[in-house]
């Protein structure tokens, strides 16, 4: 926890230095609110992104355990002003490097990267989950709020093949999807549930309020159990789709101190009906925060609807079918209902 607190506390000064040195490129943006499916989505307009260098398309089909031959921005030597420190999981002998996101739309956006190369197609491991949770907890204890997200697989919206979790600061009680999860009543707090008002497959676990006070073993066991249960549901959801592409399923992962979300993915992009142009969606979109590059794209998203866009890259919910197949493992679709305001 001490290492995590030190990293969180250095963010403001370190970000300013990186910005002044030109090592972090900051793109100003404006947030537009859009209410749909009981969620106040945030559509962030950032015209400057039209000038951002285009990254090459990733091909995960030949992903291997060794570092790719192409340049890896997450490998040493690190840019000094982007490097925030390292975390070591003594229990599992896992090491991580903490780096600023070079292309920043929100100040203090940073990444937790595996020090040794691991592919972005691999699921999060118990030490990954523990270290990310401890960074979120350290932020809370420093008087700040962050959430974490992970894009897993070639259909998830991932932009780099080196395994990394992203952490983004919050200015309110979000991210937007978390407010819906928080307002959902469930009968079985230790079982997965679905946010049934959303038009796409989603799987959620509520974390115990006492988890923040738990020992390392409690953290690891609780987080790993939650993640595996959601991953099992993601795989089961994919199996119910006869047209799902072959290969390892892709998904998006969102973590706060209160909930863990896993959303299965079928496509990386959604083609906007108004413009005919692709809109890339990653875990931020499923957290309730879509990113657009122009006023035209903003209006196209509003016109089409965020729910339709997310359903376009996600899957149909079969949570009720899964609940009937595994009644002892699920809280059940019908157990969750939105709490009265």
């Amino acid at each position: 926890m001490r290492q995590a607190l030190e990293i969180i506390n250095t963010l403001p000064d370190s970000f300013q230095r990186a910005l002044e040195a030109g090592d972090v490129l900051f793109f100003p943006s404006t947030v537009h609110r859009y209410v749909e499916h009981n969620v106040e989505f945030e559509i962030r307009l950032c015209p400057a992104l039209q000038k951002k260098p285009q990254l090459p398309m990733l091909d995960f089909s030949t992903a291997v355990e060794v570092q790719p031959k192409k340049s890896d921005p997450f490998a040493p030597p690190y840019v000094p002003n982007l490097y925030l420190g390292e975390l070591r999981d003594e229990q599992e002998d896992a090491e991580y490097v903490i780096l600023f996101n070079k292309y920043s739309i929100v100040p203090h956006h940073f990444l937790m990267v595996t020090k040794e190369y691991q592919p972005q197609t691999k699921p999060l491991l118990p030490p990954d989950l523990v270290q990310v949770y401890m960074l979120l907890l350290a932020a809370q204890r420093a008087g700040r709020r962050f959430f974490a997200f992970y894009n897993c697989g070639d259909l998830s919206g991932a932009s780099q093949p080196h395994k990394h979790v992203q952490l983004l600061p919050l200015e309110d009680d979000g991210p937007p999807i978390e407010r819906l999860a928080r307002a959902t009543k469930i009968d079985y707090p230790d079982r997965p549930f679905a946010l049934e008002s959303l038009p796409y497959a989603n799987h959620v676990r509520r974390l115990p309020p006492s988890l923040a006070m738990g020992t390392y073993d409690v953290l690891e066991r609780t987080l790993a159990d939650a993640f595996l249960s959601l991953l099992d549901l993601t795989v089961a959801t994919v199996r119910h789709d006869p047209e799902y592409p072959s290969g390892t399923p892709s998904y998006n992962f969102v973590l706060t101190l209160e909930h863990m979300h896993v959303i299965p993915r079928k496509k990386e992009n959604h083609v906007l009906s108004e413009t005919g142009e692709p809109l890339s969606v990653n875990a931020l979109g499923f957290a309730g925060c879509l990113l657009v590059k122009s006023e035209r794209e903003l209006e196209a998203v509003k016109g089409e609807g965020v729910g339709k866009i997310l359903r376009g890259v996600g899957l149909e919910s079969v949570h009720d079918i899964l609940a009937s197949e595994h009644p002892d493992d699920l809280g059940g679709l019908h157990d969750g209902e939105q709490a009265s305001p």
Side-chain angles (χ1 to χ4, degrees):
M1 177 60 73
R2 179 180 57 82
Q3 293 172 304
L5 274 170
E6 289 175 354
I7 288 169
I8 295 296
N9 286 332
T10 63
L11 287 176
D13 290 343
S14 296
F15 183 81
Q16 190 59 36
R17 281 197 301 272
L19 194 61
E20 291 173 355
D23 292 324
V24 162
L25 303 179
F26 179 65
F27 301 95
S29 60
T30 55
V31 175
H32 300 256
R33 311 289 178 177
Y34 177 84
V35 179
E36 188 180 71
H37 301 292
N38 295 321
V39 178
E40 185 179 54
F41 289 100
E42 297 178 2
I43 307 175
R44 188 175 289 270
L45 172 61
C46 185
L49 280 181
Q50 296 177 68
K51 300 178 182 179
K52 177 184 172 182
Q54 283 293 108
L55 294 172
M57 292 292 290
L58 293 183
D59 180 9
F60 289 93
S61 61
T62 56
V64 292
E65 298 291 341
V66 297
Q67 190 166 329
K69 294 180 180 179
K70 293 181 180 180
S71 176
D72 181 358
F74 301 153
Y78 306 111
V79 176
N81 284 321
L82 298 182
Y83 175 84
L84 292 166
E86 299 186 14
L87 296 175
R88 181 180 176 84
D89 190 304
E90 301 289 349
Q91 300 280 350
E92 301 290 343
D93 195 29
E95 294 182 292
Y96 307 89
V97 179
I98 309 300
L99 304 170
F100 273 129
N101 180 16
K102 180 178 178 64
Y103 302 103
S104 180
I105 298 172
V106 178
H108 308 169
H109 178 180
F110 69 93
L111 319 172
M112 189 188 87
V113 184
T114 57
K115 190 169 184 179
E116 296 297 325
Y117 178 80
Q118 295 179 31
Q120 191 78 1
T121 53
K122 294 295 185 182
L124 296 169
L125 301 176
D128 304 337
L129 295 165
V130 171
Q131 294 304 316
V132 171
Y133 183 89
M134 291 179 71
L135 282 167
L136 296 178
L137 188 58
Q140 183 190 62
R141 292 180 177 175
R144 302 198 61 186
R145 294 176 64 91
F146 277 74
F147 74 98
F149 60 96
Y150 179 61
N151 305 310
C152 186
D154 57 337
L155 304 176
S156 67
S159 61
Q160 293 293 340
H162 188 150
K163 189 177 187 182
H164 63 286
V165 180
Q166 304 188 54
L167 292 98
L168 205 64
L170 294 163
E171 296 179 356
D172 50 28
D173 62 346
I177 203 65
E178 183 70 358
R179 291 191 278 270
L180 181 60
R182 197 179 296 133
T184 300
K185 295 180 180 178
I186 54 176
D187 292 340
Y188 304 97
D190 59 343
R191 298 183 189 179
F193 64 97
L195 302 176
E196 58 185 274
S197 67
L198 300 177
Y200 53 84
N202 65 92
H203 307 295
V204 190
R205 272 283 292 265
R206 184 161 291 164
L207 302 177
S210 61
L211 186 59
M213 305 303 294
T215 63
Y216 180 95
D217 289 342
V218 169
L219 277 177
E220 183 178 58
R221 183 171 61 252
T222 303
L223 294 170
D225 175 71
F227 181 63
L228 288 175
S229 68
L230 299 180
L231 195 56
D232 284 345
L233 287 173
T234 293
V235 172
T237 301
V238 166
R239 287 175 176 165
H240 276 271
D241 185 339
E243 299 179 355
Y244 195 85
S246 61
T248 304
S250 295
Y251 58 87
N252 292 129
F253 166 92
V254 177
L255 181 67
T256 72
L257 292 176
E258 297 176 71
H259 293 93
M260 183 183 293
H261 307 246
V262 175
I263 303 95
R265 291 291 298 273
K266 190 173 181 177
K267 297 179 182 178
E268 180 181 4
N269 298 317
H270 176 79
V271 178
L272 293 169
S273 57
E274 184 176 321
T275 66
E277 297 174 353
L279 178 73
S280 181
V281 180
N282 65 10
L284 271 181
F286 286 100
C289 309
L290 278 176
L291 182 64
V292 296
K293 301 177 183 179
S294 67
E295 290 281 357
R296 181 168 178 254
E297 200 170 57
L298 172 64
E299 293 308 312
V301 167
K302 289 181 177 180
E304 192 155 349
V306 174
K308 182 178 179 181
I309 291 170
L310 296 180
R311 172 62 186 86
V313 297
L315 280 80
E316 179 183 358
S317 176
V318 291
H319 194 92
D320 52 344
I321 298 175
L322 299 180
S324 65
E325 292 176 348
H326 309 281
D328 294 332
D329 299 326
L330 290 166
L333 179 66
H334 303 294
D335 293 328
E337 61 181 31
Q338 191 174 353
S340 301

